[in-house]
Amino acid sequence: MSSDGAGRRPPTAQQFVLAELRRAITTGRLRPGAPIRQDALAEELQVSRVPLREALKTLEGEGLVTYKAHKGYCVATLSLDDLREVYRIRELLEEEAVRRAVPRLTDADVDRLEAAQSDVERAAAAGDVLAMATANRLFHMTLFDCAGMPRLARLIRTLWDTTDAYRSMYYGDGGNRERVVKEHRATLDALRRRSADEAVATLDVHRDHAVAELESLLPASP
Amino acid sequence: MSSDGAGRRPPTAQQFVLAELRRAITTGRLRPGAPIRQDALAEELQVSRVPLREALKTLEGEGLVTYKAHKGYCVATLSLDDLREVYRIRELLEEEAVRRAVPRLTDADVDRLEAAQSDVERAAAAGDVLAMATANRLFHMTLFDCAGMPRLARLIRTLWDTTDAYRSMYYGDGGNRERVVKEHRATLDALRRRSADEAVATLDVHRDHAVAELESLLPASP
DNA sequence: ATTTTCAATATTGGATCCAAAATATGGAGA
DNA sequence: TCTCCATATTTTGGATCCAATATTGAAAAT
């Protein structure tokens, strides 16, 4: 084994911190709107503030945290308008990705999608929210990566990151998990038949459900 | 006057460095592919490496520079495929921005667009490449900002930044400058009549010309 | 002559320390 | 009691120093 318990540790401290921060935000340990106290966080992660600050700069670029000079960083909060905007942009970009990907899909690609879907179903059945989020993401990104447009895929990833803090709420509900599984099956079916139109349509529905659910969940805070 | 010659200096060193790096890249002083020697650059800009590295992290997030752990930063190079990809994504996002913006356009907005266009024409006539790039950008961003989708506008800005290093080549040619002026007039005309379809169409043409021109200019390097 | 090894050097990554700014605290005056 | 101002404390921004990694060059072995 590679010495430390929680998976292999990245080769630089900033990458380690970056991964930790992402987890903290997506799992909700760092709540949206919460100020980020550099000194405390650095000590907690056993690094100095330098790599922490570089990691925060990366997250700022991705929109996960906000920054103001001499005031510091806060976990980004998404208003309902922000959320709708993110999903609208995703709709545009993901449609493009799917339309480019479908004609290029190999059988091996489809196999990988099926495998990812199996993981999703397992996690959904087990009620494992974190595993569900991971597997769900793998499913979609596997598809998007097939478009052969790396920059497009990266943009989509960033947009997903932006709403990660809210996604876990969504998977907390068993009904939502069940629905996600069904919707994925519909998408997978369309992909097997190489129907871009249908795949796009099923994914649009998928997103719209997520937005609707989050809209009912959120209004408490913004 | 506010002490130093070249405009007001930002309140933090990283912001100053960030602005300087952008200029260096867009003007071509730092060529695509060139490695970034932190020590030398820091000394040249009279700052330590810490703010320089934070600025580089920001640029990495925007795709203007690439980074590899323990190897450092390089000015990003765009292959023709990359370039086409960026312009395709811009097409998608800018169409959305324009369609949202047009119904919301006030007369004051149109006035601001006209003003920006005047700047473009002045710069084009004077053959001032840098001013041309600045004014051109202002023209388009003024329009996109009217969509009332700040995240969308930010994404588009980032995509523009990505190709900034190559844009100056484009404006170097007088014929291109003349054509840009004409195309802007067509867009402006469509906007005055609040025709989203036509505005989108003219902008598509505008972009396609840029891509075609860059395609003939680039193949030397990638 | 070519390849391999190992040391010397250059460059990046990170920790500590100090400076600057913002925020919190407390007291004086109205 | 409330407001305002001066001061203390906290927090961020930046510089310097040291450590870790990568790169280069030269010498030795094949």
Side-chain angles (χ1 to χ4, degrees):
Chain A
M1 187 183 280
S2 167
S3 76
D4 62 309
R8 173 166 15 272
R9 183 165 164 158
T12 66
Q14 22 177 322
Q15 284 169 26
F16 163 70
V17 170
L18 188 56
E20 286 297 310
L21 282 177
R22 270 195 229 280
R23 266 207 335 174
I25 293 175
T26 62
T27 61
R29 248 199 59 241
L30 283 174
R31 302 264 175 79
I36 291 174
R37 214 62 65 194
Q38 297 179 10
D39 230 325
L41 240 178
E43 186 175 22
E44 186 183 325
L45 297 174
Q46 303 274 26
V47 297
S48 83
R49 279 174 47 215
V50 175
L52 170 60
R53 275 163 56 181
E54 297 199 20
L56 285 169
K57 267 279 169 285
T58 300
L59 293 178
E60 186 200 356
E62 296 174 3
L64 261 103
V65 303
T66 60
Y67 168 77
K68 209 162 172 285
H70 297 121
K71 264 212 55 179
Y73 296 88
C74 291
V75 180
T77 62
L78 288 193
S79 66
L80 266 169
D81 281 345
D82 286 328
L83 197 111
R84 276 190 276 257
E85 192 179 342
V86 169
Y87 272 84
R88 173 61 182 151
I89 299 171
R90 273 186 50 191
E91 185 180 338
L92 295 167
L93 298 184
E94 293 181 9
E95 166 162 0
E96 174 76 3
V98 171
R99 291 198 184 281
R100 299 252 179 179
V102 165
R104 298 165 46 112
L105 278 181
T106 65
D107 290 343
D109 291 330
V110 176
D111 288 345
R112 283 163 52 225
L113 286 166
E114 310 245 18
Q117 171 65 2
S118 299
D119 289 347
V120 172
E121 304 203 5
R122 241 190 310 280
D128 184 338
V129 174
L130 195 60
M132 177 90 182
T134 306
N136 176 61
R137 188 178 170 120
L138 180 63
F139 176 82
H140 287 90
M141 295 307 158
T142 299
L143 174 57
F144 299 146
D145 283 336
C146 292
M149 295 179 75
R151 287 169 181 270
L152 180 62
R154 189 175 162 211
L155 273 182
I156 294 174
R157 255 177 255 272
T158 301
L159 290 169
W160 278 59
D161 287 338
T162 305
T163 55
D164 255 355
Y166 299 86
R167 205 181 322 281
S168 47
M169 309 182 184
Y170 181 60
Y171 290 131
D173 179 80
N176 284 335
R177 291 199 298 274
E178 213 27 67
R179 187 167 58 190
V180 165
V181 166
K182 281 200 192 116
E183 288 165 349
H184 276 205
R185 283 192 188 139
T187 303
L188 205 39
D189 189 56
L191 292 175
R192 274 197 214 94
R193 303 197 315 279
R194 303 296 192 273
S195 167
D197 286 341
E198 279 185 54
V200 168
T202 59
L203 287 173
D204 282 349
V205 169
H206 192 43
R207 264 189 308 273
D208 287 346
H209 281 164
V211 174
E213 186 66 20
L214 286 176
E215 281 181 349
S216 72
L217 244 58
L218 274 196
S221 51
Chain B
M1 187 182 282
S2 166
S3 75
D4 61 312
R8 177 170 6 276
R9 182 165 164 160
T12 66
Q14 21 176 324
Q15 284 170 26
F16 164 70
V17 170
L18 188 57
E20 286 298 310
L21 282 176
R22 270 195 229 280
R23 266 206 336 174
I25 292 175
T26 63
T27 62
R29 249 199 60 240
L30 284 174
R31 302 263 176 79
I36 290 174
R37 215 60 64 193
Q38 297 179 10
D39 230 326
L41 240 177
E43 186 174 24
E44 187 183 324
L45 297 174
Q46 302 274 25
V47 296
S48 84
R49 280 174 47 215
V50 175
L52 170 60
R53 275 163 57 181
E54 298 199 19
L56 285 169
K57 267 279 169 283
T58 299
L59 293 178
E60 185 200 358
E62 295 174 4
L64 261 104
V65 303
T66 60
Y67 168 78
K68 209 163 171 283
H70 296 121
K71 266 213 55 182
Y73 296 88
C74 290
V75 180
T77 62
L78 288 192
S79 67
L80 267 169
D81 282 344
D82 286 329
L83 198 112
R84 277 190 276 257
E85 192 179 340
V86 169
Y87 272 85
R88 173 61 181 150
I89 299 172
R90 272 186 51 190
E91 187 181 336
L92 295 168
L93 298 184
E94 294 181 7
E95 166 161 359
E96 174 75 3
V98 171
R99 291 197 184 281
R100 298 252 180 178
V102 166
R104 299 166 45 112
L105 278 182
T106 66
D107 290 343
D109 291 330
V110 176
D111 288 346
R112 282 161 55 224
L113 286 165
E114 309 246 18
Q117 171 64 0
S118 299
D119 289 348
V120 172
E121 303 204 5
R122 242 190 308 279
D128 183 339
V129 174
L130 195 60
M132 177 89 181
T134 305
N136 177 60
R137 188 179 169 118
L138 179 62
F139 177 82
H140 287 91
M141 294 308 157
T142 299
L143 174 57
F144 299 145
D145 283 336
C146 292
M149 295 178 73
R151 286 168 181 270
L152 179 63
R154 189 176 164 210
L155 273 182
I156 295 174
R157 255 178 254 272
T158 301
L159 290 169
W160 278 60
D161 287 338
T162 304
T163 55
D164 253 355
Y166 298 86
R167 205 182 322 281
S168 48
M169 309 182 181
Y170 180 60
Y171 291 129
D173 180 79
N176 285 335
R177 290 199 298 273
E178 212 30 66
R179 187 167 56 189
V180 165
V181 166
K182 280 198 193 116
E183 289 166 349
H184 276 205
R185 282 191 188 140
T187 302
L188 205 40
D189 189 55
L191 292 175
R192 273 198 214 93
R193 301 197 317 277
R194 303 295 192 275
S195 167
D197 285 342
E198 279 186 53
V200 168
T202 59
L203 287 172
D204 281 349
V205 169
H206 191 44
R207 265 189 307 273
D208 287 346
H209 280 162
V211 174
E213 186 66 20
L214 286 175
E215 280 181 351
S216 71
L217 244 58
L218 273 196
S221 52

